[in-house]
Amino acid sequence: MRLNDIIISTIATASVADAAKARRANCPNIHIFGARETTAPPGFGSASTVVDLVMNANDGATSESIVYPAAGGNEYASSVSSGILAVANQTNTFNQMCPDSKIVVVGYSQGAQIVDDAFCGGPDGTSLNTSMALVSTGVSEMVAAIILMGDPRHVNGLPYNVGNATAGGFAARPAGFQCPAFENIIQEYCDAADPFCAKGNSTATHQGYGREYGQAALQFVQSKLGASNNTKASASTSGGTNDVPASAAGRTRLGEGYMWMLLALGGLVL
């Protein structure tokens, strides 16, 4: 190899290594993924309550929504399939960018179903035909906590269940199901009156988990993050609600927090 070629090759290798270091240096300690419920507009939907609580409690935390149809009716099964893949793909992309960060995943209703399936596998009707988890090994190692609310896959008897539901959801796991790889970092919230995770008849119950269990979910997440050194005092709430509005300075979404970095790297993806 000619000296000039060696120099060019060395510079190129160093540039890639420097870009990777720069990218990792600007990664957050904590990143939250949120998956919305059926028919909710793009964004976090009802998962936003817990996403915001965790964001507000951890300095520098970032977040992004899972991008999937969240469709109902005849398109529900295909929407779940798309959502499962979106969870796997988006978390893996972040793992490749920021392998040293911790992630928290919050799913609500159909959003809980796709998170449940991505991490614990199926089968799930026509939506997923494998019992294996779809998330990568790297993601499995960086996930600190998983919050599921109103999950249609709910089944009685799981060690991470929270709430008074004993009936299964409309897409319930089979009796005896286990998710051993993640069961110690999952909290799944479901009450008996919920028509989607427990065959009840109260849609208000289904929509109320953020208010009812938001602080409990936050405490669970914080205990799993072990983030006492970079944890802010939780904002107090009035009237019993757990909704805490995030300040503009305190909310760093992925599109805002990383866009400059990707532009600086010329769109380089390793």
Side-chain angles (χ1 to χ4, degrees):
M1 181 180 290
R2 293 179 301 174
L3 179 60
N4 190 49
D5 292 336
I6 294 174
I7 293 173
I8 292 174
S9 177
T10 301
I11 292 173
T13 301
S15 297
V16 170
D18 289 344
K21 289 179 181 178
R23 185 166 58 190
R24 293 187 184 190
N26 288 283
C27 286
N29 289 329
I30 299 164
H31 188 64
I32 308 124
F33 290 91
R36 72 194 192 279
E37 70 272 30
T38 305
T39 71
F44 294 99
S46 295
S48 64
T49 299
V50 175
V51 172
D52 288 348
L53 285 167
V54 178
M55 287 275 289
N56 283 341
N58 295 281
D59 287 322
T62 57
S63 63
E64 68 180 285
S65 61
I66 298 299
V67 180
Y68 84 112
N74 294 334
E75 298 178 354
Y76 187 90
S78 62
S79 177
V80 170
S81 294
S82 296
I84 296 167
L85 292 177
V87 172
N89 290 336
Q90 287 181 235
T91 55
N92 187 54
T93 296
F94 182 77
N95 170 250
Q96 292 176 356
M97 290 176 58
C98 299
D100 299 324
S101 300
K102 293 181 179 180
I103 65 171
V104 174
V105 188
V106 182
Y108 206 105
S109 194
Q110 185 179 167
Q113 183 171 352
I114 64 175
V115 171
D116 192 335
D117 282 344
F119 281 89
C120 296
D124 185 0
T126 61
S127 299
L128 183 64
N129 61 7
T130 178
S131 61
M132 298 180 64
L134 272 71
V135 295
S136 69
T137 300
V139 170
S140 298
E141 292 173 350
M142 73 192 306
V143 62
I146 299 170
I147 300 296
L148 306 174
M149 292 182 157
D151 184 4
R153 304 239 68 190
H154 174 264
V155 63
N156 193 38
L158 292 176
Y160 45 78
N161 286 351
V162 179
N164 58 17
T166 55
F170 68 76
R173 296 285 190 178
F177 169 80
Q178 293 181 322
C179 185
F182 301 105
E183 66 180 21
N184 67 321
I185 62 168
I186 297 176
Q187 289 280 266
E188 180 183 323
Y189 300 89
C190 180
D191 282 332
D194 189 320
F196 304 108
C197 68
K199 299 184 176 69
N201 58 10
S202 172
T203 55
T205 296
H206 183 69
Q207 289 301 130
Y209 292 115
R211 294 186 300 273
E212 184 70 20
Y213 295 111
Q215 289 292 344
L218 173 63
Q219 291 173 13
F220 176 79
V221 169
Q222 293 302 95
S223 72
K224 295 302 179 182
L225 286 170
S228 59
N229 290 334
N230 71 333
T231 299
K232 299 184 296 183
S234 298
S236 61
T237 59
S238 61
T241 179
N242 292 302
D243 295 270
V244 179
S247 67
R251 298 173 66 96
T252 307
R253 299 302 188 195
L254 181 67
E256 299 165 359
Y258 290 96
M259 186 59 69
W260 68 269
M261 181 172 64
L262 294 178
L263 290 173
L265 297 176
L268 178 64
V269 177
L270 300 180

